[in-house]
Structure formats: C-alpha cells, structure tokens
Amino acid sequence: MSSGEILQFAPLQSFVSPTFWHKLSEIKLDLDRLNDKPRSIFGYYTNRNAKSCLLEIDYTAFNGDFKAPKFCHKAHGTIYNKNTIEEFKTCDKNTLMREEGLKLIEGFQTDAILDDPSLLARFFILSFADLKSHNYYYWFGFPCPLTSTLNLDKPVGNVSNAIKEKLKKCLDESSLLDNFFVFQAAEGQEKILTLKEFVVSSEKDASMDLDNVYFCFADNSEHQHPTWLMRIFIAFLLHKCKTLLGKPLKFIGLRYDNHMDLSSSLLWQITQKEACNFDDVEQLKFVGWELNKNQKPQPRMVSMRDSMDPQLLTENSINLNLKLMKWRLLPDLNLDVIAKTKCLLFGAGTLGCAVSRMLLGWGFKHITFIDNGKVGLANPVRQYLYTFEDAVKGDVMKADAAAACMKKINPGTISTGHVMQIPMPGHTVGESLKEQTEKDLNKLKDLVQEHDVLFLLTDSRESRWLPTLLGAVYGKIVINSALGFDSYLVQRHGGTRTTESSANDDNNTQILDNLKCIAGHQLGCYFCNDVTAPGNSLKDRTLDQQCTVTRPGVSNIAASYAVELLVSLLQHPLREMAPAYYAMTTSSSGATSSQQTYNKIPEGILGIIPHSIRGMLSSFENILPATQKFVQCIACSEKVLSEYRLHGNGFLFKVFESAKFLEDLTGISDYKELQNEIIDFNDSDMELSDE
C-alpha cells in the first residue's frame, strides 16, 4: 500500500458460538415469548494473534455485567429477534441500519464515548429463531457513517522500534485497558492519554504539535488494511476535534502475538480534508451490513439441530457410555456395525421385551417385532414395554405396543411391529386360513431377508422351527433363548453363509490345548439334539403347562446373555462363523473345571464366544456346551433346506399338516423303531476287566 492510495478497511466478520443460540432460545421461550423488542447484547474481539477481523458473541452476550475474556475488548450490540420468518425478510434493512447508525452518532455528540471508548465498537443483529426446526437466520450489521475517502500520506509500514519501546513501557506502567487511546511520544514526555484527556487538551491547545502523537486502537485485522473499527475511530476524532482536519494524523494498529509482542503492529498516516457534518441528521448515510461467504450482502442461516433437537440429544447421551467404553477400555469396538445391524425378534413377550431393552442399551437402532398376542393384565409386571393402560384396553397388540414403546424410550429407534401368527409344524392349516397363511409366510420370508439377526424368543418349541429354517436358508445370525422354571438356554445357531474357510474345511473339529474346537459352520441349531419333530405342544395342556412359568429374574438373565452373545459375534471378524470351544478333560471328581476352561478358551475383544449358555438359578451356575450339527436335523440339515428351496411354501404346508413328514424326510423316524431292552444278569455273567 503506497502513499496517495485510498485507505481501505478490512470488514468485520461475525463468529457466533453455538451457546449463543442456546441462550437465545431459552430467553425467547421463557422470557420474551411474543415480545420482539430489541435487546442489548455484548460481543468481543481480540488483537492478540488476530485472524479475519472476527467479532465474537456467545451465551455471555446477554449478561448485564458483561466482561470480555482475557486479551479481548468489549463491543456493544443490539439484537432484533423477529417472531416470524416473514417479519425477518420484510424488515426494512436500510431503516434499521440508519437507526443503529444514529445511536452511534448520538455517542459522538455526547460524552458517552469519551467516558467509555468501547462504545465505538458497535454492532447489531437482525434475526429469526425457528425453534421447531432449530434453524437460526441472522444478519450482522456494523454501522459506520458514510464519509469521504481517506488517502494515505505515506506507505503503510511497521512501527519503529523506538516508538514501540516507548509505547510498551507506557502501557506496562499504565492500568489503561481501553481499546482506543492516544499515545504522546515526545522525548521525556511519553504518556498514555484517554480519549477524554486528549479531547480536553486539543480544545485548550488548538495548535498542538501532532508529530509525536499517535492514535492507537486494538486492531483485530491480520491484513495490511486496518480493521473497520479504525474508520469509525477516525470519524469520531474528526467530529470531536475539528482542529485535526487537514492535518497529518498517525494511527497505530496494535497487533500482539502469542507472547504479547507488538512487532506486528502497523502504522498509517492519513489526512482528512473534508469535514463531515454529523449535525445534519437528514443527510447522513450509513454502511456496514456484513457480507456472506460469497461477498454478497445477504443474511446467513445456521442449523443447531444436532445440538438442540431433543431426539438427537437423547441419542448422543445414549451413545455416551458406549463411546466411553471405546475410548479407554475397548478402542477396537466397532459401534457402527452395531448401529447398522437390523434385528428381528420373534416374540414380544417376556423375553422379547427384555432383549429389546438390552439392544437399546448397546446402541442397536433397527428392531422389529413379530407377535400375534394382546397385552393382558398379567403382562406389564414382567413384560416392561407394556403398561396397565395397555392391558385394560383389551385390544392392544403386543407387537404394535412394543414398537411404539421403543420409540418413546429412544425416539431415534427404527422400530415396527407385525401382528401375525407364526405357522408351526403339526398345527394344521384349514382351507379358510390357507390364503392368510400364504401371505404370512411370504411376509415372514421378506422380513427375514431384510434383517441381519433373528432372535427366537417365542414360548413354544414348534414356533421356533420356521424361523430356524428361514435363518439357515438365508444365512442370518440366529440367537435362540428358552426359559425353564429356574433355568435358561441361550444359543447361537451355526452359520450357513458360504465362506472360503468353511468351504475348505472338511474336518468337523480340531483340538487346541486340550480344547475341542467346532467351526462356526459346523455348530448345531436348537433342534440338532432332537430325534423327534416338533408337534402341537399346547394340546391337552393345563394352564400352567401352556404358560412359561419361570422365576422373574430368569428372563432378564437370559436376555442379557443373548444380546451380549450377539455383540460379541458382531465384533468377531468371522461373525457367526466364529468357532466355539469346549473342554475335553474333567477334574478328578468327574466335573469339568469351569474356571480352567474359561482361561484357555480363545477370546474375541469382548471375551469368549460360546455356542450355548445353559444356566441354573438353583445353583447360580453356567455351563458352556458346544454341539455339532446333526446331519438329520429337522430344521437345519441340508435335506430340509434343499426341500424348502425346491418347493417353498408347498413344502411348508406339508410340514404344518403333519410333523411326521419331517421325520420321514430326514430319516429320524427310524429311531422310533429302536426298542430299549432290559437285560437280566447275575454276577457270573459279568465280564471283569483286567483293570
């Protein structure tokens, strides 16, 4: 920038802390309501390592006793927060700028600015707060009277070392914290003057020597151009001190680095020859609307939905525990795979309610229920997705109520309920129900394909057969949980996805450090230990036999294990194809040493991944058996899967008609022909071993 050039100013740029919008929302809701009268606010700016001529505001802007942060200077402002977006758009922007500019001129004409120079740093905000969508529209203005252009007498340059040393010494000795002041640098007479002191001196001595007088201001610009505030400073000085017109004036823009060194400060020398008549209010014009990122005079919009929407705030709070686990305890924990996994729950009863709540705790978002029951009076105390109000209505379906409750607990949950009967082996389908059953079967097939994990949580053995079959056919993770009076079973079904390791592994098992390992694709399902097909288990049963009678704590324990087992699988690189282990040796008493077994089993990042967990509350004990696939299994054997792939629903209707069809298909009906014989013998018939 050379002499003779027009002096240009770096425009101020607003920076609004998110906390400001939070506080504005609170004030609008609790105090202002429909009152849109302007409010006084405060901002601040810094000339320490300054960037981009920023003027900042945060939640403290509304404080009556506002104090700027350390190394910062106060700015005075007003906010005009409109009630509607239409009022925001139709507001007369020129009139508003003029009104704010006249407030600045009023400070020029009184002694207010002399008493408090920070009043030269003025701003205002025109805004509209959309509290429903959490979008905030705003436009900053930095009013300044439109004056004639200023020419530089000399090229802009650095402040001489001698002046800097004198200025630094005077500032250190002075307690002055003003952002605008005057420095008198005459040899032996160095001192800091407030604006008020300088104006009084200039009135007494009209012929004051200005060669050693420097007008100083906190310059928050990083460019060769001074901050916009210098323009206002010049206008004020020339209005208050008419004797300065036509004389060369030296301005120092104070710029500190991180060590509070003034080496970056710049010096401008200007001469203003044309006076500006601030007394003729009608002729005054004002400028200062902030430009947007495209350098156009337009308002801005910020969305605070991520930090203010209750739904998102709830989600962030829910995920806090999981993220804390990841930070310190489990840095390799993959939370994204959990959030994206879609779970399909067969059954929305005691187990279904417990499992779904555990899933929410782990951050699962996609949870679907299948159930055809209604909420009964006995349900709410054990099935805690339902209330007494649901029960007394008499027609509230569990699947629908469970999905609705999940969204009440966490609005971010994607949960739906499907009211349908699960067709079962041995439960004959009449002609009148055949069409509906066909629809249900197709719907079940679609739901299974849409989800990643199936939880089998129904209250009868036969209702688990079809989900087991579909899970095997479509290669889904299947977690099964069943309850007794004081016992429970939690089991993962063997994987059926084709992987390179499973295709090349012809061996069923392998031995590792006295542990027997069963590959994931060789693990059995819920029906692999049976030699009979499931039938109608509710036929000819009394009430206590038809209901799952169990100790209240059993369902919660089983549900917890079921979800933890799933999470462990999802964190394993092989997922459901992860192998399972069990001990081959026993202790001298004949019982397997559980602690020794657990210590030897290879772990995933969350611990061991068993095939089954069988627990007994009577002894508060768990055992972890592992079983291989049964080649004649009536649910997951290749014969059954092939028959379904070939004939689809036609095959299923044969199974529903008679469970014996499955026994004949798989060949397990041959086992029924075996008869156990009781052999009578005496001591002489016994063959003693050599040992």
Side-chain angles (χ1 to χ4, degrees):
M1 191 180 291
S2 60
S3 61
E5 286 190 8
I6 295 175
L7 178 61
Q8 297 183 24
F9 303 93
L12 292 171
Q13 296 187 44
S14 63
F15 179 83
V16 186
S17 167
T19 60
F20 176 83
W21 302 121
H22 283 266
K23 193 65 178 179
L24 176 63
S25 300
E26 179 184 326
I27 290 173
K28 183 64 176 175
L29 288 172
D30 299 334
L31 297 176
D32 289 351
R33 299 174 186 173
L34 292 178
N35 182 0
D36 62 355
K37 290 183 179 179
R39 271 185 171 273
S40 295
I41 58 174
F42 299 94
Y44 56 90
Y45 62 96
T46 182
N47 58 331
R48 185 191 187 204
N49 198 26
K51 301 290 182 183
S52 304
C53 281
L54 291 182
L55 187 144
E56 304 180 45
I57 57 172
D58 57 26
Y59 71 100
T60 63
F62 299 94
N63 292 352
D65 56 348
F66 175 85
K67 292 183 179 179
K70 190 175 182 180
F71 305 121
C72 294
H73 301 279
K74 182 194 294 186
H76 298 257
T78 307
I79 184 169
Y80 298 83
N81 190 43
K82 301 300 181 180
N83 282 321
T84 67
I85 188 65
E86 288 75 21
E87 291 178 5
F88 173 82
K89 291 178 178 179
T90 58
C91 174
D92 189 331
K93 312 300 189 299
N94 292 328
T95 300
L96 184 59
M97 176 60 74
R98 180 176 178 79
E99 289 176 358
E100 281 294 311
L102 290 176
K103 291 180 183 179
L104 180 65
I105 298 303
E106 184 181 349
F108 282 15
Q109 296 170 339
T110 65
D111 290 336
I113 292 176
L114 294 179
D115 294 331
D116 183 4
S118 67
L119 289 170
L120 285 173
R122 285 200 62 86
F123 70 97
F124 66 93
I125 309 172
L126 174 64
S127 66
F128 166 65
D130 187 343
L131 301 184
K132 285 188 176 181
S133 64
H134 306 289
N135 291 332
Y136 295 83
Y137 302 83
Y138 67 99
W139 199 353
F140 270 73
F142 306 101
C144 179
L146 184 61
T147 58
S148 58
T149 58
L150 293 170
N151 292 322
L152 282 168
D153 296 339
K154 296 180 180 180
V156 61
N158 295 321
V159 182
S160 68
N161 290 331
I163 297 298
K164 278 192 295 188
E165 290 299 323
K166 291 180 181 180
L167 178 58
K168 184 177 185 306
K169 182 180 178 181
C170 289
L171 287 173
D172 291 341
E173 294 174 352
S174 171
S175 59
L176 184 71
L177 297 176
D178 289 349
N179 38 359
F180 301 92
F181 61 90
V182 181
F183 173 51
Q184 185 172 307
E187 190 68 32
Q189 300 179 7
E190 298 92 343
K191 60 180 177 179
I192 300 291
L193 298 175
T194 65
L195 295 186
K196 190 170 189 177
E197 290 171 339
F198 174 78
V199 170
V200 171
S201 298
S202 65
E203 289 175 349
K204 292 181 179 179
D205 184 6
S207 61
M208 178 186 295
D209 182 12
L210 297 176
D211 288 342
N212 292 306
V213 173
Y214 297 86
F215 301 97
C216 303
F217 61 95
D219 189 5
N220 60 340
S221 172
E222 61 179 318
H223 314 289
Q224 271 202 325
H225 304 306
T227 177
W228 180 260
L229 296 172
M230 178 180 166
R231 179 174 185 172
I232 303 171
F233 188 24
I234 295 172
F236 170 74
L237 286 172
L238 296 178
H239 173 73
K240 277 296 185 184
C241 305
K242 301 292 194 296
T243 57
L244 298 180
L245 276 171
K247 295 180 180 180
L249 306 177
K250 298 174 183 177
F251 286 82
I252 295 180
L254 300 178
R255 302 180 181 185
Y256 292 100
D257 61 15
N258 284 330
H259 303 289
M260 297 304 291
D261 185 83
L262 285 169
S263 58
S264 299
S265 299
L266 296 180
L267 174 67
W268 296 270
Q269 181 172 312
I270 60 101
T271 301
Q272 172 75 358
K273 297 180 179 180
E274 297 181 23
C276 184
N277 184 10
F278 294 141
D279 296 325
D280 188 0
V281 176
E282 296 299 325
Q283 299 299 318
L284 282 178
K285 295 182 180 180
F286 298 90
V287 292
W289 283 111
E290 183 181 16
L291 304 179
N292 63 14
K293 293 181 180 180
N294 297 322
Q295 298 303 303
K296 293 183 178 180
Q298 290 179 345
R300 302 182 181 190
M301 188 276 283
V302 61
S303 175
M304 296 297 295
R305 183 172 178 268
D306 288 348
S307 62
M308 300 182 76
D309 190 322
Q311 180 172 327
L312 293 177
L313 289 175
T314 298
E315 186 171 333
N316 290 336
S317 298
I318 289 171
N319 291 335
L320 177 61
N321 181 58
L322 300 174
K323 290 180 179 179
L324 291 177
M325 288 167 52
K326 182 177 176 69
W327 290 354
R328 285 189 177 270
L329 302 175
L330 296 167
D332 295 328
L333 184 65
N334 188 340
L335 296 177
D336 290 336
V337 72
I338 292 175
K340 294 176 182 177
T341 298
K342 298 180 180 179
C343 300
L344 179 61
L345 278 57
F346 287 85
T350 304
L351 271 173
C353 289
V355 165
S356 60
R357 287 302 304 267
M358 298 298 168
L359 289 172
L360 285 183
W362 261 110
F364 287 89
K365 290 181 170 49
H366 304 268
I367 302 172
T368 304
F369 297 91
I370 294 177
D371 199 292
N372 73 327
K374 297 179 180 179
V375 180
L377 291 172
N379 294 151
V381 294
R382 294 178 299 115
Q383 302 174 13
Y384 34 77
L385 293 182
Y386 314 124
T387 64
F388 173 75
E389 286 74 15
D390 294 328
V392 296
K393 289 179 182 178
D395 59 351
V396 175
M397 306 306 294
K398 287 185 176 181
D400 295 334
C405 186
M406 296 293 277
K407 294 177 181 178
K408 290 180 181 179
I409 297 169
N410 179 7
T413 304
I414 302 171
S415 185
T416 55
H418 298 273
V419 179
M420 65 173 68
Q421 176 76 42
I422 301 173
M424 296 174 275
H427 291 245
T428 303
V429 178
E431 285 298 324
S432 60
L433 296 175
K434 193 167 184 178
E435 183 178 351
Q436 182 59 48
T437 303
E438 187 84 34
K439 291 180 180 179
D440 288 346
L441 289 174
N442 293 333
K443 182 64 176 177
L444 282 172
K445 182 180 69 173
D446 292 340
L447 287 172
V448 168
Q449 292 182 87
E450 292 167 4
H451 290 76
D452 307 299
V453 181
L454 313 183
F455 279 95
L456 311 189
L457 311 169
T458 54
D459 55 5
S460 67
R461 177 171 172 262
E462 61 266 31
S463 59
R464 299 166 189 256
W465 178 82
L466 182 56
T468 299
L469 169 67
L470 294 175
V473 168
Y474 296 109
K476 304 299 180 179
I477 297 176
V478 180
I479 305 291
N480 184 72
S481 185
L483 308 179
F485 165 65
D486 61 357
S487 61
Y488 51 86
L489 165 68
V490 175
Q491 179 187 50
R492 60 178 171 113
H493 290 187
T496 57
R497 286 187 300 115
T498 301
T499 63
E500 185 176 347
S501 59
S502 64
N504 295 332
D505 185 10
D506 295 328
N507 298 320
N508 291 344
T509 61
Q510 62 183 35
I511 297 175
L512 175 65
D513 192 21
N514 211 30
L515 293 170
K516 195 171 185 180
C517 169
I518 304 178
H521 68 286
Q522 292 292 344
L523 292 171
C525 75
Y526 181 61
F527 295 93
C528 278
N529 290 333
D530 293 337
V531 291
T532 58
N536 191 339
S537 63
L538 301 182
K539 187 177 181 181
D540 298 326
R541 296 288 185 96
T542 59
L543 179 61
D544 64 310
Q545 293 171 326
Q546 294 180 36
C547 298
T548 303
V549 180
T550 180
R551 289 171 62 171
V554 173
S555 60
N556 291 314
I557 297 172
S560 299
Y561 278 131
V563 174
E564 295 294 335
L565 181 58
L566 169 62
V567 174
S568 294
L569 284 175
L570 293 177
Q571 301 303 313
H572 195 282
L574 297 178
R575 289 170 62 99
E576 76 275 18
M577 307 301 284
Y581 299 82
Y582 64 92
M584 296 177 61
T585 59
T586 58
S587 65
S588 58
S589 63
T592 302
S593 173
S594 298
Q595 190 58 50
Q596 292 178 2
T597 302
Y598 296 165
N599 290 340
K600 293 177 181 178
I601 293 177
E603 295 186 346
I605 68 169
L606 289 171
I608 62 175
I609 307 178
H611 176 216
S612 303
I613 307 168
R614 291 182 180 270
M616 290 74 67
L617 278 188
S618 57
S619 59
F620 291 95
E621 182 183 11
N622 282 339
I623 60 173
L624 308 178
T627 56
Q628 296 174 217
K629 279 189 175 180
F630 180 36
V631 294
Q632 293 173 276
C633 176
I634 49 86
C636 72
S637 65
E638 190 54 39
K639 284 186 178 180
V640 175
L641 301 185
S642 298
E643 194 71 13
Y644 174 75
R645 293 188 183 104
L646 185 62
H647 300 290
N649 291 350
F651 159 71
L652 296 179
F653 277 107
K654 291 181 181 180
V655 176
F656 303 151
E657 186 65 28
S658 172
K660 189 176 184 302
F661 178 77
L662 284 175
E663 296 176 355
D664 294 339
L665 174 66
T666 58
I668 64 172
S669 56
D670 296 339
Y671 287 98
K672 292 188 175 182
E673 298 175 3
L674 298 178
Q675 298 292 329
N676 292 326
E677 296 183 3
I678 300 176
I679 304 176
D680 295 326
F681 57 86
N682 54 37
D683 290 345
S684 61
D685 294 325
M686 293 183 67
E687 180 180 341
L688 301 178
S689 67
D690 294 336
E691 300 179 0

